[in-house]
Each structure stands twice: as structure tokens, then as C-alpha cells.
Amino acid sequence: MTGLIEDHGIIGDLHTAALVDRDGTIDWLCLPRFDSSACFASLLGTAKHGFWRIAPIGAGQADRRWYRGDTLILEHVWDTPNGSVKVIDFMPESTGQHDVVRIVEGLSGRVPMHSELRLRFDYGRSVPWVHRKDGLIVGVAGPDSVALHCEVPTYGRALTTHSDFTIGEGDRISFVLAWGPSHDPPESPVDAFEALDATEKFWNDWAAQCTYDGPYHDAVMRSLITLKALTYQPTGGIVAAPTTSLPEGIGGVRNWDYRYCWLRDSAFTLDALIRSGYVDEARAWRDWLIRAIGGDPGDLQIMYGISGERRLQEYEIDWLPGYEASGPVRVGNAAAEQLQIDVYGEVIDTLARARQHGLPLERHVWALQEKLLQHLEGAWTQPDEGIWEVRGPRRHFVHSKVMAWVAADRAVDALQGDGVSGQPDRWKALRATIMDDVLKHGYDAERNTFTQSYGHPALDAALLQIPIVGFLPPDDPRVVGTVDAVAKELCTDTGLVLRYRTEHDVDGLPGDEGAFLACSFWLVEALHLTGRTERARELFEHLLSLRNDLGLLAEEYDPRIGRMVGNFPQALSHIPLVTAAYLLAELPGPATGHA
């Protein structure tokens, strides 16, 4: 029943998000938050695990679909022998209530339609008690309650709510599914058509704030809207993706829960948003960060829950077989307990960029950065799990050391230009010490390339960050050699970039994975910075062609099967799309450090 990963679109209310297949099926939805249990989980199982489909009777995939302008309102159109029909899907901005609105609109003729709603709470495990109350169809199980309001008759069959109706030209019929705590009476449903107008206005107003004015406007705008959709509005936290356990390799075990806030991904997201004019999002994320990491800097985690939760215990759901039998399905993420030295640099770098874009450096924010730097001063020499969260032995990853250098470098810049007091000589010394160490232990002079980790010859696409963050200037022969080596050894036949070669057994996991899309965008940036702009542009436009028809990207793309893999849509794929678009358009880009 479930389509390809790229067959999906996303709708959301800035608290959670749903995935909608191109056949009109919502097959993934967690309520009331991104990290809540799913009430539709057929994406990771079968139809018995919950879904909601509205489509013409006997029809397959929609003939056409699109987002309505610069919004998160998704529209599907079917052309049938009886006429044409549109289904409009969206979630109004949440004000405490969480609604999924589906409007069926007749375009021509008279089209027989069918709605099939199968609620299954707790990731498809719990069948709700369904009853009628005050004109609503109410499903209750444990703490969750969902109420369906629709304008056509319904009937129950096989623990599923059905509706058969015919839509004529000019007719509009609405369905509203509203979540609430089971101990409260069902909320009155929103007016579907008023909510449609309000939702369209909300997204158009938000999109109008975008300051990007380059040749890739549509791609940048859709990526920014997607990043906004992954923001948890009450706290400012930004999730890496709205899904769990979509596999990095079909049939494999590289399946992870991404419904949390990685400091790294969130920092990159903030950078993409703030450079595009979205200062309010930057301020909200910074405030979330301060709350989440407050306390002992030695306890800094690489990820948190969307409200700053620290305990993200990982466990497996054995009743879900996984997407295309790619098990196990995991909830929680044990990587929260890993040591990843690079996050210190990414957080401090992003706060520096926020200052450059007009967000004031408040005293308590600088005090927190000083505490992080003081801890990093003793921690950067440790081996860690690195940016890719390897589940094998810790290593001295070069990228981790480079980002520790970034932390010290941005501190020096702050003390030179922002009117804050501190110890610039201390951080200059730390910056120099880290650079000397990386150049001595992380560079292979014989091959003219930096390596993935000290004492290991393998390469890593994260090395492409070296010129991007300003560790060395782009025209340094060591940088050019590294970019060329990554392009030669980690690129697939289609020019996409692998994170690293899995056969080198660095991550302690079996199986392969697809090409990592973020790394491919990093290669675009690195090629441009090192003077190969035509190659960079060709790769960038190839990457744009891999987006689905709605402009969305998963975590990875597997060129062997020509499909997207990994969680979807993935923030870390859309962020460097925005960054690369700015760079290729020669618009203001990231600040570089001092070599």
C-alpha cells in the first residue's frame, strides 16, 4: 500500500506533521507532537497499522499534485472517466488544537469518491473505541482522542470508518480530524474553509519575508518552507525530520528516529533561515538552545527533545515490520548519549552568524559560550563518535577537531568586534594549538588530502567543510587536494557523494547506504570555493533534479535503485541547498574564519 518515499508530501501545523502519498493516503501522522506516537503508521507497516485515504473509487495515484503557491497546502487532482476532482490537504496553524483538514472539490463531471479512515494509536498497535457523539465520529484509546467531522454520511466496517459520496462540479465537501486528550470533551471542529483561507494567508505572509533574490528562488523558498514546517513553534526547537526508521538502505538496519533536535542540524537550519530574513526563528531557536543546554557544559548532548528533553531512550517496536521490511523500527535515539566534539563549533559558529545578521549578543548568551569554550579547551583532544554518530569505536575524527577550531576562532572574532569582555589570547592560543594538531596528524602529505581520522587513511565527506568554515583558505593546495580526493574516492558514478565507504567498517554497522545529499551539496560549495564553479553549478542542478515533484528531499539518494532513502523530508538535505544557492548566486554567504 505504501508508495515510494519520494511519493510523499508533507503538511503540518508547526507542532507535528503528516506525510501524504500521491494516491491520497495519509500514512504517517504523530499527534500531538512530532515525537508523539503515530495514529497513522502504515508507512512503516501495512494498512492495518493505520491510514486515511480519500480518492476517487477505483483510482490509483493522482494525475497531478502541487503545493498551493508558497504554502504548505497540498493539492492532488485525479482525472477520471466521470470527471476531475481535487483533494486539498493541510493542517491549520495550531493554537492548542490539532486538526487535519481535507477538502474535496469537484472540478468537472460527477466523480464517485471514497474515504477510508483507519485509526490505530501507539504506532499501529492500539485499536480505538469508536462511537458517535454530538455529530462527531470519536475514536478513543488510552490518552488519545480523535474526532472526525464530515459533511457526508459514514459507516463502520472492519474497525474502519468509511464514506461513499459523489462530488459534482463546483461542490466542496470537507473532512476535519481533530486530536485532543481523551479526558477532555471533543473540541468543536474548525471551519474547514475559514481555516483554508487563514492557513494560506499565514504561509504567504511568512514566505513574503524571504530576502533571497537569486536564480533558484523556487527551490530555496520550498526548502525554507520545509524547514519552517520542521519547527516546533511552542519552543523554537527544530527536528531533523518528521519520521523515524525510514531506511538508509532498503532492507537494511540503518534505521533511526530523527524526530528530535540535533544541535548540529538545528544550528545549520537557523543559519539558512536567518540569512533569508527570518530573525524571529533565529531568536526562538537561540532561546531554545539556552534552555536545553543550560547547566554543566560537560553534560552537553548532541541532541535533545523538542522541548529540551534529555532522555531519548532508544527501543524497538517489534509489531511494525518497517518500510519495505526494513527493520527494526526504532523510537528514541541512543546517539543522544554520544560524544561529538564538533557540536561545540557548530553551535558557537551559528550564534556568531546570528550576531552578524542583527541578533544582539546578550551577556548571558556570551557567558554560556565561554563556559562551552572552557569545557572544550580540555575536551577537544578526546576521540569521539563524530558527525556521523558511528556506533563503532571512538576515533580522533578530523572534522571534529576542525569544528573545535571553529569554536575558538569565532570566540576570538566575538571578542574583537562585539564589545564583550573575555580572554582573546586564550582562545587564539587554543585555535593555534588545534590547527597545528590537525595539520600534523590529520593530513596525509603523500596523498595531499586530509583524512577521516588520525591514523586512518580513509576519507570522509565532512572534510569538505574545511574551506566552508574557513579552517584553511580555499586556494590552499591541501584544501584543493582534499576536495579532489573526496570527489574521486567518495563520488558515485552519478556524481553524488557518499559520507564515507562503509566497507572501511568505521560505523560498526552491516550493510550499505545511499549517497548523502547534504555531502553532495557540500561538494557544490567546495568546488565553487576552489574555483570550479561550472562543475559546482552542474552538480547543484543535478541535485535539484533529484527532488520530488513537490521540491522535497530525503536524507539520501541511492543511485543503484534510483530512489530516495532515509528519513523524509530531511532538514540536513534542504539546509545546504539554501546555502549553495546563495553561494552560486554570489549573494552574502557565511563568514569565514582566520587560517
Side-chain angles (χ1 to χ4, degrees):
M1 179 178 179
T2 300
L4 304 179
I5 291 172
E6 58 264 40
D7 282 342
H8 292 83
I10 182 176
I11 58 175
D13 65 356
L14 307 183
H15 285 66
T16 188
L19 294 190
V20 189
D21 199 342
R22 65 169 68 240
D23 71 350
T25 301
I26 299 177
D27 55 16
W28 181 255
L29 174 61
C30 300
L31 287 169
R33 307 188 344 163
F34 290 106
D35 57 353
S36 300
S37 63
C39 62
F40 301 141
S42 60
L43 178 68
L44 299 180
T46 67
K48 73 178 184 180
H49 297 112
F51 69 94
W52 185 12
R53 185 173 191 231
I54 300 180
I57 293 175
Q61 294 185 341
D63 295 282
R64 302 181 301 283
R65 64 174 180 172
W66 56 80
Y67 282 111
R68 179 180 292 190
D70 292 332
T71 77
L72 212 62
I73 300 169
L74 183 58
E75 302 185 340
H76 289 77
V77 171
W78 286 263
D79 298 317
T80 78
N82 298 301
S84 296
V85 62
K86 178 192 294 183
V87 175
I88 304 168
D89 293 326
F90 66 98
M91 296 181 70
E93 182 185 9
S94 177
T95 56
Q97 187 170 327
H98 303 279
D99 302 287
V100 178
V101 180
R102 314 194 76 178
I103 297 173
V104 183
E105 180 179 335
L107 302 179
S108 66
R110 292 185 59 78
V111 182
M113 301 289 295
H114 183 69
S115 170
E116 187 173 2
L117 171 64
R118 182 172 297 168
L119 285 167
R120 296 293 184 267
F121 294 109
D122 194 20
Y123 300 102
R125 188 176 193 179
S126 180
V127 180
W129 171 50
V130 178
H131 59 287
R132 296 180 183 271
K133 183 175 183 179
D134 300 329
L136 302 173
I137 308 298
V138 180
V140 176
D144 297 299
S145 175
V146 169
L148 172 68
H149 174 270
C150 62
E151 300 175 323
V152 293
T154 64
Y155 60 93
R157 186 179 66 211
L159 301 176
T160 303
T161 299
H162 297 264
S163 182
D164 296 306
F165 59 99
T166 298
I167 191 82
E169 182 176 348
D171 293 341
R172 294 200 299 175
I173 295 173
S174 67
F175 296 74
V176 180
L177 190 71
W179 178 92
S182 61
H183 59 271
D184 289 339
E187 294 273 1
S188 299
V190 299
D191 181 285
F193 303 106
E194 290 180 0
L196 177 62
D197 292 341
T199 301
E200 184 171 13
K201 182 179 187 305
F202 168 82
W203 283 106
N204 283 332
D205 289 349
W206 189 85
Q209 300 173 49
C210 180
T211 57
Y212 176 84
D213 186 25
Y216 301 107
H217 181 271
D218 289 347
V220 168
M221 193 71 254
R222 180 50 53 189
S223 289
L224 291 172
I225 290 170
T226 303
L227 295 173
K228 175 66 172 176
L230 300 179
T231 302
Y232 184 63
Q233 189 175 57
T235 66
I238 302 168
V239 299
T243 55
T244 179
S245 301
L246 289 178
E248 295 173 3
I250 301 297
V253 301
R254 297 168 181 263
N255 316 316
W256 315 110
D257 193 346
Y258 276 13
R259 299 171 299 156
Y260 306 111
C261 303
W262 271 254
L263 295 187
R264 177 189 308 108
D265 296 29
S266 297
F268 290 162
T269 301
L270 176 72
D271 181 47
L273 288 169
I274 197 170
R275 74 170 58 189
S276 301
Y278 295 102
V279 178
D280 288 344
E281 283 74 10
R283 184 177 291 105
W285 178 84
R286 188 191 65 180
D287 292 345
W288 170 88
L289 173 73
I290 300 303
R291 294 191 303 269
I293 68 176
D296 184 354
D299 290 335
L300 181 73
Q301 295 185 185
I302 60 103
M303 74 174 82
Y304 297 85
I306 55 180
S307 294
E309 298 90 345
R310 289 174 172 262
R311 295 183 181 179
L312 308 178
Q313 182 179 0
E314 182 179 306
Y315 60 95
E316 297 178 4
I317 297 179
D318 58 9
W319 61 87
L320 283 177
Y323 178 85
E324 294 192 13
S326 304
V329 172
R330 295 181 172 95
V331 171
N333 201 309
E337 301 174 5
Q338 289 188 350
L339 175 64
Q340 297 178 23
I341 297 295
D342 66 293
V343 297
Y344 290 87
E346 279 130 5
V347 167
I348 292 174
D349 184 39
T350 301
L351 291 172
R353 298 187 193 191
R355 294 196 306 273
Q356 294 166 3
H357 288 274
L359 203 62
L361 179 60
E362 299 176 22
R363 186 175 300 276
H364 72 284
V365 177
W366 172 247
L368 176 64
Q369 291 181 68
E370 282 193 307
K371 290 293 185 183
L372 294 176
L373 286 160
Q374 290 164 12
H375 177 76
L376 183 63
E377 193 173 25
W380 75 269
T381 58
Q382 300 178 46
D384 69 347
E385 278 88 4
I387 183 175
W388 306 128
E389 300 172 359
V390 300
R391 300 205 174 192
R394 289 181 176 180
R395 295 187 180 185
H396 290 280
F397 287 103
V398 170
H399 174 263
S400 295
K401 311 295 187 189
V402 167
M403 295 311 298
W405 176 93
V406 167
D409 179 76
R410 303 317 189 247
V412 172
D413 283 350
L415 291 168
Q416 290 176 339
D418 279 317
V420 294
S421 60
Q423 300 172 283
D425 291 342
R426 180 178 180 179
W427 309 128
K428 286 180 181 179
L430 177 60
R431 182 176 67 182
T433 299
I434 296 172
M435 173 167 280
D436 290 344
D437 193 72
V438 171
L439 295 180
K440 180 177 180 180
H441 300 290
Y443 174 70
D444 184 340
E446 188 174 322
R447 296 161 62 209
N448 189 28
T449 181
F450 288 92
T451 59
Q452 183 178 51
S453 60
Y454 291 3
H456 295 271
L459 295 183
D460 188 325
L463 298 170
L464 296 170
Q465 287 286 311
I466 288 174
I468 294 172
V469 301
F471 181 77
L472 288 174
D475 59 356
D476 188 294
R478 293 164 293 188
V479 170
V480 176
T482 300
V483 174
D484 289 344
V486 168
K488 179 181 179 181
E489 298 185 28
L490 295 183
C491 277
T492 67
D493 293 340
T494 59
L496 303 181
V497 183
L498 303 171
R499 294 188 292 179
Y500 46 80
R501 292 287 178 180
T502 55
E503 59 264 29
H504 293 152
D505 196 31
V506 66
D507 57 22
L509 295 168
D512 293 324
E513 61 181 21
F516 208 77
L517 292 171
C519 297
S520 302
F521 283 111
W522 292 345
L523 180 57
V524 170
E525 294 186 64
L527 286 170
H528 175 75
L529 290 171
T530 55
R532 279 76 64 88
T533 298
E534 190 58 36
R535 283 178 59 192
R537 194 175 302 278
E538 289 174 0
L539 176 56
F540 182 73
E541 294 182 355
H542 175 54
L543 289 166
L544 293 185
S545 74
L546 299 181
R547 298 173 302 152
N548 71 3
D549 55 315
L550 298 174
L552 303 177
L553 289 168
E555 180 182 25
E556 302 180 8
Y557 186 88
D558 192 335
R560 297 165 298 184
I561 58 175
R563 291 176 54 181
M564 291 189 195
V565 291
N567 284 302
F568 176 90
Q570 174 74 12
L572 196 55
S573 297
H574 285 279
I575 297 160
L577 183 158
V578 174
T579 305
Y582 271 94
L583 195 62
L584 291 175
E586 297 184 349
L587 295 171
T592 58
H594 304 282

